[in-house]
Amino acid sequence: MSRQKKKEKLAKPQEKTKSFLEPWPNLPQQLLDFMGRQHPDETNRLMQNISFLGVTKSWRSVPKQCSTKNAQLPWLEISDKDHFFQSKTQEHTLNIPFRLGEYWWYGRRTSWDIPWTHFHGCSHGLIVAGGKDPAMYCLLIPTSRFTYRSIPTWDPTIPFKFATLSSNPYNKNKACFLMVLTGCSTPAFVVSHLGYQNKWMKEEKTLLDPNCSKRKLMQFTNAIGFEGKFYALSLQGTLAVIEEIESRFQITKLSRSRAVPSVFPKHFTEYLLESNGEILLIFFIFEQSIRKVDKVEVFKLQMDDLSWLKLDKLGNRTLFAGTNYCMSVNASQLGCRSNCVYFIERATNTWRFYEMGSDTISPCFDDYGSQTISPVWEEPIVENKFLVR
């Protein structure tokens, strides 16, 4: 009996380490259904506006005994590492209800018989995916079930945390690059030219983060490709512009101000995305605990000085933020509330929405007044082209 009990105790920790199969993207059901009825070109346009998951950070304040003269800016740390660096344990199943004009589910109801189950990023309509082999990664084309593009073999000694594309890979007039963030200070990022040279370019130079009170080296936690360049956020909220200079990718500009919320909460989650030709940054702010969002703030990047302008309204746009993606849509075409940010509260796995005008967060309800897992809205009667903004 004692041996049996010992075996049971040993088995329990192993059960906890099993991979959890998470649907991607975890969009509201109404939006998935709407996508399934659209023309392939419209679905592809929608996919190009999906960005990957955000990062949860926490504040570390200056000790109270420090004098004001010697006080430094609070520094940040990643407080939810299991979520951001989950690529080796978190498995995904593609949840797009669309393939070649047919309306059917192949993500939830059937298994996808290919080895790419770990998703590391989504950019310009393609998913960066990996499998069991730490040296093999690819670019999945989600609207075509078994289609993917290969990328150069990866060095398994370097962490592969997050990836994004510099531009649309199907634009023949503009070169497309794939950048991988390592989460380390050296190399902080690695870049490859898609379809050319077939190798990775590492930037071994180290750079002190100008906004780190501890004078630590820059480590990048989030990035987005925009008009052929990369815009990467460091752990301390410094924005770096990374671009090709003489066949090498280098940091050409650094922001003077930090990309952080206007208040000092215990935790916050950040999302970078492109919307209507702009780079937006969304903060979900946890003032009391990491289980409940208390505030939402949306900022727009001003390209001239790399500063962040807080937005009071989104106009006809609606933003969606799930546990593993973020996207922008045209509200009038979808039939949902405009000038809002829909998001999943992770603790309860229910949808809530933040209204920009009233600065309030409300739960999503159905017609009977009961709280639902997915937000409910009325789809437009006349289905015009689904425009992504």
Side-chain angles (χ1 to χ4, degrees):
M1 291 294 291
S2 60
R3 287 183 182 179
Q4 258 188 337
K5 287 181 180 179
K6 285 182 180 179
K7 286 182 180 179
E8 288 175 3
K9 288 181 180 179
L10 290 172
K12 285 181 181 179
Q14 292 176 355
E15 290 174 2
K16 291 181 181 179
T17 60
K18 285 183 179 179
S19 298
F20 172 71
L21 200 63
E22 183 179 19
W24 190 96
N26 58 340
L27 290 164
Q29 188 65 51
Q30 293 88 337
L31 183 52
L32 287 172
D33 293 343
F34 194 88
M35 289 172 61
R37 296 195 294 272
Q38 300 310 297
H39 187 274
D41 292 341
E42 301 302 329
T43 300
N44 287 334
R45 290 179 64 189
L46 178 61
M47 287 296 301
Q48 290 174 12
N49 259 41
I50 296 181
S51 299
F52 213 59
L53 75 160
V55 180
T56 302
K57 297 177 180 178
S58 64
W59 291 102
R60 289 292 182 188
S61 301
V62 180
K64 293 181 180 179
Q65 62 268 26
C66 289
S67 64
T68 306
K69 292 182 180 179
N70 297 326
Q72 295 175 306
L73 287 173
W75 58 283
L76 305 177
E77 69 171 10
I78 296 177
S79 64
D80 194 7
K81 292 184 179 181
D82 290 338
H83 180 67
F84 177 61
F85 298 127
Q86 65 185 355
S87 55
K88 290 300 178 185
T89 57
Q90 183 76 54
E91 290 190 356
H92 301 85
T93 177
L94 202 60
N95 198 24
I96 305 295
F98 172 84
R99 178 172 177 260
L100 301 178
E102 300 177 14
Y103 181 50
W104 66 308
W105 297 90
Y106 65 83
R108 280 184 177 176
R109 297 181 181 175
T110 61
S111 60
W112 208 12
D113 297 326
I114 58 173
W116 318 110
T117 56
H118 303 293
F119 294 175
H120 301 262
C122 180
S123 179
H124 296 88
L126 300 181
I127 299 173
V128 183
K132 293 181 180 179
D133 189 340
M136 300 301 294
Y137 296 88
C138 76
L139 293 173
L140 290 178
I141 303 174
T143 51
S144 182
R145 187 178 184 187
F146 294 109
T147 305
Y148 62 90
R149 295 179 59 173
S150 60
I151 60 177
T153 303
W154 184 256
D155 181 358
T157 62
I158 301 175
F160 193 112
K161 302 299 185 184
F162 178 91
T164 187
L165 298 174
S166 62
S167 57
N168 191 331
Y170 300 108
N171 187 349
K172 297 180 180 179
N173 300 322
K174 186 177 291 186
C176 180
F177 298 89
L178 173 66
M179 182 176 73
V180 177
L181 301 183
T182 65
C184 305
S185 56
T186 177
F189 58 88
V190 182
V191 182
S192 176
H193 189 304
L194 289 186
Y196 180 70
Q197 292 182 340
N198 199 36
K199 65 178 182 180
W200 293 102
M201 296 174 283
K202 292 186 291 184
E203 183 54 56
E204 300 289 358
K205 289 183 180 179
T206 57
L207 184 66
L208 290 175
D209 196 318
N211 287 308
C212 180
S213 60
K214 297 288 185 177
R215 304 295 293 168
K216 292 186 176 181
L217 298 174
M218 294 196 78
Q219 296 173 266
F220 295 111
T221 58
N222 212 341
I224 188 172
F226 184 74
E227 296 183 349
K229 300 178 183 180
F230 295 107
Y231 295 80
L233 280 176
S234 77
L235 181 59
Q236 299 303 319
T238 303
L239 183 71
V241 180
I242 303 171
E243 55 185 315
E244 185 185 19
I245 304 294
E246 297 180 351
S247 300
R248 292 181 58 192
F249 274 83
Q250 304 175 34
I251 297 176
T252 57
K253 294 180 182 178
L254 290 175
S255 63
R256 295 182 180 179
S257 59
R258 307 171 85 188
V260 292
S262 61
V263 296
F264 287 155
K266 288 186 176 181
H267 308 277
F268 64 90
T269 302
E270 62 188 29
Y271 288 85
L272 273 174
L273 75 155
E274 181 182 350
S275 175
N276 200 21
E278 300 172 334
I279 294 179
L280 300 185
L281 178 60
I282 309 174
F283 290 123
F284 294 98
I285 301 169
F286 305 84
E287 292 185 312
Q288 303 299 325
S289 72
I290 203 169
R291 295 180 59 84
K292 182 184 176 184
V293 175
D294 298 295
K295 294 181 183 296
V296 179
E297 294 183 342
V298 182
F299 291 81
K300 179 182 76 172
L301 178 63
Q302 301 187 105
M303 294 294 182
D304 53 349
D305 59 355
L306 297 183
S307 62
W308 294 97
L309 175 66
K310 187 177 179 182
L311 298 181
D312 296 323
K313 58 183 179 179
L314 293 170
N316 192 38
R317 289 178 291 184
T318 299
L319 307 182
F320 287 88
T323 56
N324 51 28
Y325 77 98
C326 189
M327 64 179 298
S328 171
V329 301
N330 183 311
S332 61
Q333 294 295 327
L334 184 60
C336 59
R337 291 173 180 263
S338 62
N339 202 37
C340 286
V341 182
Y342 284 90
F343 64 95
I344 283 184
E345 193 132 80
R346 295 177 184 174
T348 58
N349 195 34
T350 56
W351 283 89
R352 302 173 71 85
F353 69 92
Y354 167 73
E355 196 167 31
M356 296 283 284
S358 61
D359 193 29
T360 57
I361 296 175
S362 305
C364 297
F365 293 91
D366 60 20
D367 295 335
Y368 301 99
S370 60
Q371 192 166 347
T372 59
I373 292 178
S374 296
V376 176
W377 60 77
E378 293 294 329
E379 292 186 10
I381 298 174
V382 180
E383 292 185 1
N384 297 323
K385 288 186 177 180
F386 184 73
L387 301 178
V388 179
R389 297 296 183 188

